[in-house]
Amino acid sequence: MQKISVIIPAFNEADSIANVINDIPDTVNEVIVVNNNSTDATESEASKAGATVLHEPKKGYGYACLRGMHYIAKQSKKPDIIVFLDGDYSDYPEELTKLIQPICNGKAKLVIGARVKALREPHAMTPQQIFGNWLATTLMHWFFKSTFTDLGPFRAISYKTLLSLNMQDKTYGWTIEMQLKALKQNVTYKEIPVHYRKRIGISKVSGTVYGSIMAGYKILGWIFKYSFKS
């Protein structure tokens, strides 16, 4: 039986975090919510729903993910698979079972939940998200011959593979860094189409002009950095 841990970065997700936790399959061994300096009741709602709650005062998606990994590194029995999931209830946590299957079967080390249009609720993704995903994945195809179609945050990865990637990005570039490093290391990967709905609350990235610009800057920065890296 594979040991599975879920890491959920969360900043002001009090209205949604319990829904996310409650919909995660029982096969998961531990749900870790990283409270990223929230000013609402995210911590108490996550704790009441049964999650392990960690604190990361430095704001940033990558900071929160790295805090979760640091916690796991101290455990005596490490998980076999790590799943990353947003706390805004835009993903369908119950589809986690589909994402881990290729890893359990030995067919992939990294699985990305692809937010395909056919399974996406209307207006669930902003125009800048759709364009950003298209641009990033197109550049990745040109430079690295990848077949990625999305930078979706709902993803599963074997723990050993995650460690080998030596993740570093602290903010908006976390997802693209993982995929680019996986390509560089010839990690076997797969995309699984997943459902996607309108998030609860306002996005801290695509919902603001600053967030959209910074995310785009980070994504393009990582791509061009790795395109010229031997």
Side-chain angles (χ1 to χ4, degrees):
M1 181 71 71
Q2 301 270 27
K3 183 182 179 184
I4 305 164
S5 294
V6 174
I7 296 176
I8 306 174
F11 171 62
N12 288 347
E13 305 290 8
D15 294 336
S16 57
I17 194 66
N19 291 336
V20 176
I21 296 167
N22 291 333
D23 284 358
I24 292 174
D26 293 337
T27 50
V28 167
N29 298 87
E30 185 174 22
V31 177
I32 303 159
V33 172
V34 184
N35 182 25
N36 197 200
N37 209 26
S38 297
T39 57
D40 64 3
T42 295
E43 177 184 357
S44 60
E45 290 298 319
S47 182
K48 285 191 293 185
T52 298
V53 181
L54 309 178
H55 300 278
E56 176 48 65
K58 295 179 181 178
K59 286 186 180 180
Y61 188 87
Y63 273 121
C65 292
L66 289 168
R67 178 69 183 87
M69 289 176 60
H70 180 70
Y71 164 79
I72 289 171
K74 292 183 176 181
Q75 295 179 335
S76 57
K77 181 170 173 52
K78 308 296 190 292
D80 300 293
I81 300 172
I82 301 291
V83 176
F84 292 95
L85 176 65
D86 278 355
D88 58 15
Y89 208 45
S90 54
D91 296 304
Y92 287 67
E94 59 270 29
E95 294 189 318
L96 176 150
T97 305
K98 296 195 302 184
L99 263 64
I100 66 169
Q101 202 60 45
I103 300 176
C104 294
N105 293 341
K107 295 182 179 179
K109 298 293 186 183
L110 169 66
V111 181
I112 306 294
R115 299 165 292 184
V116 296
K117 185 175 182 180
L119 302 180
R120 209 166 61 218
E121 187 177 285
H123 311 299
M125 290 178 69
T126 63
Q128 55 265 38
Q129 279 181 297
I130 295 170
F131 174 75
N133 269 288
W134 172 82
L135 178 60
T137 54
T138 298
L139 291 173
M140 290 164 72
H141 175 68
W142 287 351
F143 292 141
F144 308 106
K145 306 301 181 185
S146 83
T147 58
F148 287 122
T149 65
D150 195 9
L151 307 180
F154 193 13
R155 52 185 59 202
I157 184 169
S158 77
Y159 182 60
K160 290 182 179 178
T161 300
L162 180 60
L163 292 181
S164 75
L165 299 182
N166 187 29
M167 296 292 293
Q168 298 176 8
D169 195 275
K170 309 298 193 302
T171 55
Y172 305 100
W174 175 270
T175 56
I176 188 73
E177 179 192 5
M178 183 183 293
Q179 285 165 257
L180 287 171
K181 286 184 171 180
L183 291 171
K184 278 289 187 178
Q185 294 185 21
N186 294 315
V187 171
T188 54
Y189 66 89
K190 186 176 180 65
E191 282 192 338
I192 299 289
V194 294
H195 291 79
Y196 197 71
R197 61 190 154 213
K198 292 180 184 176
R199 60 159 291 138
I200 294 176
I202 299 172
S203 172
K204 289 75 179 177
V205 179
S206 60
T208 66
V209 173
Y210 176 79
S212 298
I213 292 173
M214 289 305 297
Y217 171 79
K218 271 300 187 91
I219 288 169
L220 293 177
W222 273 107
I223 290 174
F224 288 115
K225 173 184 176 181
Y226 269 80
S227 66
F228 296 109
K229 191 171 183 178
S230 59

